[in-house]
Amino acid sequence: MALPFGLEPAAAAFLAVAVFGAAFVRGYSGFGFSALVILATSLVTSPLHAVPVVILCDIVMTVQQARGIWARIDWRRVGTLMLGALVGVPLGVTIITSIGTDLARAVIALFVLCMCALLWIGWSFRGPVGDAGTTGTGFVSGFANGAGVGGLPVAVFMTAQPVAAAVFRATLIAYFTLLDLWSLPIMARAGMVSADTFRATVFVLPMMVAGIWLGGRQFLRAEPQDFRRFALILLAGLATLGLLKSVI
């Protein structure tokens, strides 16, 4: 049986391992799955192939994680973020589907590098952030989710505020789910979803479930801050490789 998106066996094996690693990061820190998978995909094929796949995977992962996070979700923050995302997603999908593969790869890589830099330096707000700031962040997140990397702006936004680790993780996961449920039909309408999308999701599902389970167990017995630094280094490294590939 042919592999999805015309991938060679070696490329498919590489992406399966990448999904496992990205799911482990998601299970541990609450963010990074989509960006890691899309950046890894950009090294072997068009990153846009992976966007609807990671969205489907995100939804499955939330079902797997819901029982352990429900009580810690900041629903007011989630709802305010979604107000901005409702507008941002359609605009982001329209733009990302109108540019070429190399340009899309470069744009995604540069965006991820900027988000990683903000997370690494520990940028923070000097005062409280109101609903307007949260809604604006949701718009940026929704726009970026046209390329499947809408989680990183919210990770930056929440890291810049005093949020407990468990609430941070749970709120991100809940928001990502609503964001993905809104993004998927818009992407399908734009022609980003195909039979290969679902075949690829089934292909990576076992690796994803194993990774998220192991990452969640690790979260229960270790401090997430140290691991988050490792995740940022990994994201920045893959983004740099993707940027080089787009210009060489």
Side-chain angles (χ1 to χ4, degrees), residues 26 55-66 69-70 73 75 78 82 145 170-184:
R26 162 69 181 265
I55 284 178
L56 286 170
C57 288
D58 257 336
I59 294 170
V60 173
M61 283 190 294
T62 301
V63 172
Q64 190 178 353
Q65 292 179 291
I69 67 170
W70 191 264
I73 298 170
W75 285 110
V78 169
M82 277 304 302
N145 214 48
T171 302
L172 283 183
I173 292 169
Y175 167 69
F176 293 166
T177 305
L178 294 179
L179 177 65
D180 291 338
L181 289 172
W182 173 238
S183 299
L184 194 60

Side-chain angles (χ1 to χ4, degrees), residues 29-163:
S29 65
F31 76 98
F33 175 81
S34 297
L36 284 168
V37 174
I38 290 168
L39 289 170
T41 301
S42 75
L43 300 179
V44 295
T45 186
S46 170
L48 299 188
H49 290 328
V51 174
V53 174
V54 298
I55 284 178
L56 286 170
C57 288
D58 257 336
I59 294 170
V60 173
M61 283 190 294
T62 301
V63 172
Q64 190 178 353
Q65 292 179 291
R67 185 176 178 182
I69 67 170
W70 191 264
R72 298 180 175 88
I73 298 170
D74 182 346
W75 285 110
R76 175 179 172 81
R77 198 187 301 262
V78 169
T80 310
L81 286 165
M82 277 304 302
L83 287 177
L86 290 175
V87 179
V89 170
L91 184 58
V93 169
T94 299
I95 291 177
I96 200 67
T97 54
S98 66
I99 62 178
T101 297
D102 284 337
L103 182 56
R105 184 182 287 121
V107 168
I108 292 169
L110 285 170
F111 180 79
V112 171
L113 284 172
C114 289
M115 294 298 101
C116 286
L118 289 173
L119 286 167
W120 185 266
I121 65 176
W123 170 75
S124 62
F125 293 108
R126 294 183 177 179
V129 180
D131 288 346
T134 305
T135 302
T137 301
F139 172 81
V140 174
S141 169
F143 183 85
N145 214 48
V149 290
L152 289 177
V154 181
V156 171
F157 176 71
M158 291 185 63
T159 301
Q161 303 172 69
V163 180

